[in-house]
C-alpha cells in the first residue's frame, strides 16, 4: 500500500454518523473536505475544508467538486451512514476517481430499481410492485399476498415504511409512505417474516469481504423501528454462511464492485432473502462503533483506502467481544430535562452515549429510525452482561417531558388503532357502535349492538339551547360525590379484561394503575371492576393500594356471597373510597364463558350485603324508575344509570331515554351517576341537564390510554371538561346545579 498521507478526501455528509469517518481520515493524515447543506453541521467543525451543498443534490455537488479541484486536487470521495451513494458515484465519475457507476449507485438507492435488478439476476427477494398511485397499490393486490410492506422507493432510516395487514389499511399506509417520499414513487412488497440482519461488506480487487453481521432488533409494528443491534450475530454458522452468499450475490448484481455495501438481510422460512442493499457503509453506529469495538477492525479506514484506490489492510479481527447499540426513547411530549447522562457514561461497559434530542424539542412516538432521543454503545464479554449494562443505563437516564404538550386526538387514535389491532377496535371517528370491529370479547357490544348504538344516538337527539341576554358567568364544574370533592363531574367507568377485551395491549394492573393515577391527578376518581375472573379483583386492589385507595371497586353480582364478602373486606383493608355492584351483569358473557354464576337479588338480600361493609355502597345498572326507587328505599349511597355499555343485552334503550323518569323520582334524594354514549363535554352537559349529578366515561378512556398512555387520558378529560365549561358559558349555567332541563331541546319537542 502506498502512503496516503496528505491526500484529500471529499466526505459527503457532515452529520453525527459521518463524524467517525472524518475523525478516522484525520488520523490517517488525510486532508478532509466535508460537504453538507447545514453550515452548522458537526462535521464542518472538525473538517479541513467545507462545501455547503445538499448531499442529495447530485448536479450541485458535481459542480462544486469540479470548482474545488480547480484550486487543489481531490483524490477520493466517500460517504458513510447516509443515503448519498448516487452523489458519491456522480462525483467519482466526474473527477475520474475510484468508485462504482452512477447507474449502479442508482440501482442501490432506488428500491424499485434495486428490486428489478435483483430479480433480473435471480436473487431471492419478496414479490413486489412499483406504486405511484393508490390505484396502483390496489391493482397489486391481485398478485401480492398479505401481509405487505409499503415504503418510499427513495428514502432511508425506515422513514415512511409501514406494514399493511389487510386491504382496509392500504389508504392509511399509502398516505403515510407518501409523506416521506421525495419523488412520489413507492414500492409495495410482501412482508418477510423472520430475523433481520445488518451486514457490512467491502468490495475491492475483484473480491467481496464480509466485515460484520449484526442481529437487528425491530419493534413497534406497523412501523419498523430499529431499537438496537447485537454484534456479532447469534445465528448459526450455516445460516450466516447463506447470508454471506446472498449478500455477495446481491452486491455483484447491483454492480457494487468497489467500495462498501450495506445489506438488510432477512432469514425467512423460505430461506435467506434480501431486504435492501446500499452502496455505502452502514449507519446505525454499526460500522463506526459496534464492529470496531467487537473486532478491533477499523472499517472506516478500510473504506477510505478503497476510495483512494488502495487495497485495505488489517481486516482480520484482533478482538472477540460483544458490542451492542440500543436506542434511548423518550415519552412523547415537550422535552423539559434530560437527567443522568454523565452518571450513565461512568457505568463500566458503556463506550458512548449520544443524545440527539434537545431541551424544548417536541418528541413524538417514533415512526422511523430517525425519531429517537439517543443511543448508547456498550461492550462486554457476553450478551447477557451487555444487556444488564443497558438496563442500568435505562434506569440512570431519564427524559422529563410535558406529556400533554402538542398531543392531539388524531395521534392518540392512530396509535390506539395500531395497538388494538384489526379485531378489537377500529377507533372509529365516531364511537357510536354502528361500525364496531368486535363484540365480546372486544370493545363492542352484544348482538347487533343496538343497545350500544342507542346510547350514543339517543343522546344526539338532544340539542343545546344557548342563552345570551344575561349576566356573564364564569363556569365552575366542581362537585361533591359522597363527600369527595371533585374538580370535574367526569369519572372513569369501570373496565377490566385488558387481555380478553383489548388484545393484551398492557396488563390489567398497568391499565388500572394508569386510569386511577390519571383521574386522581385531574381531581377526579376512577372506578374499577373486579372482572369476570375470580382473582382479578386482587389486581384491582393492588392498583388501588398504589393510589392510596382513591378509587371505587364495582363487583359482579356473583352467586357465591363468600366471594363478594372477601372483596368487601379486602377493599376496606386497602382504604378503598367506595364499593358497589353492577347488578346488571347477570349472565354477562365473559362470566358465562368462565362458568361463573351471577344472579339477581331481592332488595332485602342487597341490603343485607350492603350491611357487610362500612364503605359507601353503590348500585350500578339501574334502568327503571322502580329499581331506582328500591335503591333509594334500601339506603344505598348512589345509583348508576347504565346498560353496561350494551354488553349485557341487545335491544335495551339508551341511558338518556330512561334518565328523565328516574330523575323525576329520585332527583336530590340520592346521587345519580350515568354512563353510556358520552363522547364530549357537550354530552356530559346533556346528561346533567337530564338529571344526572355525575358522568362515567368508558370506551373513550380506554382508547385514550391505549393510544396516548396517561397523557392521553388527561388530554381526553381536560378536553371534555373544557367543552363542558364552554357549554355552560353559552347556556348561562354558573355551577353544575344551575344546569337545567330547559337548556336542552329534544328533536321531537316543539
Amino acid at each position: 500500500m502506498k502512503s496516503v498521507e496528505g491526500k484529500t478526501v471529499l466526505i459527503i455528509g457532515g452529520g453525527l454518523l459521518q463524524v467517525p469517518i472524518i475523525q478516522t481520515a484525520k488520523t490517517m493524515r488525510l486532508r478532509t473536505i466535508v460537504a453538507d447543506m447545514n453550515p452548522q453541521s458537526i462535521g464542518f467543525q472538525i473538517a479541513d475544508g467545507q462545501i455547503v451543498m445538499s448531499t442529495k443534490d447530485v448536479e450541485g455537488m458535481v459542480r462544486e467538486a469540479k470548482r474545488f479541484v480547480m484550486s487543489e486536487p481531490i483524490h477520493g470521495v466517500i460517504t458513510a451512514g447516509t443515503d448519498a451513494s448516487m452523489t458519491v458515484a456522480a462525483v467519482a465519475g466526474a473527477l475520474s476517481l475510484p468508485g462504482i457507476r452512477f447507474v449502479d449507485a442508482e440501482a442501490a438507492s432506488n428500491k424499485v430499481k434495486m428490486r428489478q435488478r435483483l430479480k433480473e439476476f435471480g436473487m431471492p427477494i419478496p414479490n413486489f410492485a412499483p406504486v405511484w398511485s393508490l390505484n396502483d397499490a390496489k391493482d397489486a393486490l391481485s398478485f401480492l399476498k398479505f401481509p405487505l410492506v409499503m415504503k418510499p422507493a427513495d428514502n432511508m432510516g425506515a422513514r415512511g415504511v409501514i406494514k399493511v395487514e389487510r386491504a382496509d389499511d392500504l389508504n392509511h399506509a399509502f398516505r403515510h409512505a407518501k409523506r416521506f417520499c421525495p419523488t412520489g414513487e413507492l414500492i409495495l412488497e410482501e412482508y418477510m417474516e423472520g430475523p433481520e440482519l445488518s451486514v457490512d461488506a467491502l468490495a475491492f480487487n475483484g473480491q467481496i469481504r464480509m466485515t460484520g453481521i449484526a442481529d437487528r432488533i425491530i419493534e413497534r409494528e406497523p412501523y419498523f423501528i430499529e431499537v438496537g443491534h447485537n454484534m456479532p450475530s447469534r445465528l448459526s454458522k450455516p445460516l450466516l454462511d447463506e447470508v454471506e452468499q446472498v449478500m455477495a450475490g446481491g452486491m455483484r448484481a447491483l454492480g457494487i464492485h468497489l467500495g462498501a455495501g450495506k445489506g438488510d438481510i432477512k432469514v425467512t422460512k423460505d430461506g435467506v432473502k434480501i431486504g435492501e442493499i446500499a452502496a455505502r457503509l452502514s449507519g446505525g453506529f454499526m460500522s463506526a462503533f459496534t464492529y470496531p469495538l467487537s473486532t478491533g477492525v477499523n472499517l472506516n479506514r478500510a473504506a477510505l483506502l478503497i476510495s483512494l484506490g488502495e487495497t485495505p489492510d488489517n481486516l482480520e479481527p484482533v478482538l472477540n467481544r460483544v458490542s451492542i447499540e440500543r436506542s434511548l426513547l423518550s415519552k412523547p411530549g415537550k422535552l423539559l430535562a434530560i437527567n443522568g447522562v454523565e452518571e450513565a457514561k461512568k457505568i463500566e461497559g458503556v463506550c458512548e452515549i449520544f443524545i440527539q434530542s434537545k431541551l424544548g424539542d417536541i418528541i413524538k412516538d417514533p415512526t422511523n429510525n430517525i425519531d429517537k432521543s439517543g443511543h448508547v454503545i456498550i461492550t462486554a464479554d457476553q450478551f447477557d452482561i451487555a444487556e444488564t449494562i443497558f438496563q442500568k443505563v435505562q434506569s440512570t437516564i431519564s427524559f422529563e417531558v410535558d406529556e400533554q404538550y402538542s398531543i392531539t386526538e388524531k395521534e392518540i387514535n392512530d396509535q390506539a388503532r395500531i395497538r388494538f389491532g384489526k379485531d378489537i377496535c377500529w377507533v372509529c371517528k365516531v364511537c357510536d357502535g354502528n361500525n364496531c370491529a368486535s363484540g365480546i370479547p372486544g370493545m363492542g357490544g352484544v348482538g347487533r349492538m343496538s343497545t350500544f348504538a342507542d346510547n350514543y344516538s339517543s343522546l344526539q337527539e338532544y340539542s343545546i339551547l344557548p342563552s345570551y341576554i344575561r349576566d356573564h358567568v364564569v363556569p365552575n364544574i366542581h362537585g361533591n360525590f359522597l363527600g369527595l370533592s371533585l374538580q370535574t363531574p367526569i369519572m372513569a367507568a369501570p373496565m377490566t379484561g385488558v387481555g380478553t377485551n383489548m388484545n393484551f395491549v398492557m396488563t390489567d394492573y398497568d391499565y388500572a394503575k394508569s386510569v386511577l393515577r390519571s383521574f386522581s391527578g385531574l381531581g377526579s376518581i376512577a372506578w374499577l371492576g373486579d372482572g369476570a375472573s375470580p382473582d382479578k379483583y386482587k389486581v384491582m386492589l393492588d392498583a388501588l393500594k398504589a393510589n392510596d385507595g382513591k378509587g371505587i371497586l364495582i363487583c359482579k353480582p356473583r352467586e357465591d356471597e363468600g366471594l363478594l364478602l372477601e372483596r368487601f373486606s379486602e377493599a376496606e383493608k386497602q382504604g378503598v373510597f367506595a364499593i358497589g355492584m353492577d347488578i346488571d351483569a347477570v349472565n354477562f358473557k365473559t362470566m358465562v364463558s368462565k362458568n361463573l354464576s351471577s344472579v339477581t337479588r331481592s332488595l332485602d338480600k342487597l341490603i343485607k350485603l350492603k350491611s357487610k361493609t362500612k364503605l359507601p355502597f353503590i348500585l350500578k345498572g339501574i334502568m327503571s324508575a322502580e329499581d331506582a326507587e328500591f335503591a333509594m328505599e334500601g339506603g344505598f349511597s348512589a345509583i348508576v344509570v347504565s346498560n353496561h355499555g350494551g354488553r349485557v343485552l341487545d335491544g335495551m334503550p339508551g341511558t338518556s331515554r330512561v334518565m328523565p323518569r328516574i330523575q323525576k323520582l329520585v332527583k336530590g334524594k340520592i346521587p345519580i351517576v350515568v354512563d353510556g354514549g358520552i363522547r364530549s363535554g357537550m354530552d356530559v352537559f346533556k346528561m346533567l341537564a337530564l338529571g344526572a349529578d355525575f358522568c362515567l366515561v368508558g370506551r373513550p378512556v380506554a382508547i385514550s390510554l391505549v393510544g396516548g398512555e396517561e397523557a392521553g387520558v388527561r388530554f381526553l378529560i381536560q378536553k371534555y371538561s373544557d367543552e363542558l365549561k364552554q357549554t355552560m358559558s353559552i347556556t348561562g349555567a354558573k355551577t353544575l346545579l344551575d344546569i337545567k332541563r330547559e337548556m336542552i331541546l329534544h328533536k321531537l319537542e316543539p
Side-chain angles (χ1 to χ4, degrees), residues 430-432 454-464 489-490 655-656 659 674-692 694-697 700 719-725 727-728 739 744:
V430 179
C431 182
D432 57 9
D454 199 50
N455 275 337
Y456 176 83
S457 60
S458 63
L459 198 53
Q460 302 315 304
E461 292 174 6
Y462 289 94
S463 302
I464 295 164
I490 304 166
T655 52
S656 66
M659 272 298 304
V674 66
D675 68 12
I678 297 170
R679 302 293 182 262
S680 68
M682 289 70 77
D683 289 344
V684 172
F685 182 90
K686 293 174 187 178
M687 285 297 199
L688 299 181
L690 288 170
F694 300 93
C695 293
L696 296 177
V697 178
K719 176 177 180 290
Y720 282 13
S721 296
D722 289 344
E723 290 171 348
L724 173 60
K725 290 179 183 178
T727 309
M728 291 170 65
I739 300 175
I744 59 175

Side-chain angles (χ1 to χ4, degrees), residues 361-373:
D361 283 355
I362 308 303
I363 310 295
K364 296 185 180 295
D365 271 321
T367 62
N368 56 63
N369 290 333
I370 311 302
D371 299 336
K372 301 172 189 176
S373 292

Side-chain angles (χ1 to χ4, degrees), residues 478-493:
H478 291 191
N480 188 290
F481 180 63
L482 305 182
L484 178 67
S485 178
L486 301 180
Q487 295 181 30
T488 176
I490 304 166
M491 298 180 278

Side-chain angles (χ1 to χ4, degrees), residues 516 525-528 537 540-554 567-580 613-616:
L516 287 166
I525 194 168
W527 301 38
L528 303 179
Y537 82 97
M540 301 298 108
L541 286 173
D542 285 344
L544 284 160
K545 181 180 180 181
N547 199 51
D548 298 325
K550 295 177 182 176
I552 297 171
L553 181 67
I554 300 296
R567 285 155 172 73
F568 296 175
S569 175
E570 290 299 317
E572 286 185 8
K573 290 179 183 178
Q574 300 299 344
V576 175
F577 175 71
I579 201 164
T613 179
K614 300 175 184 178
L615 299 176

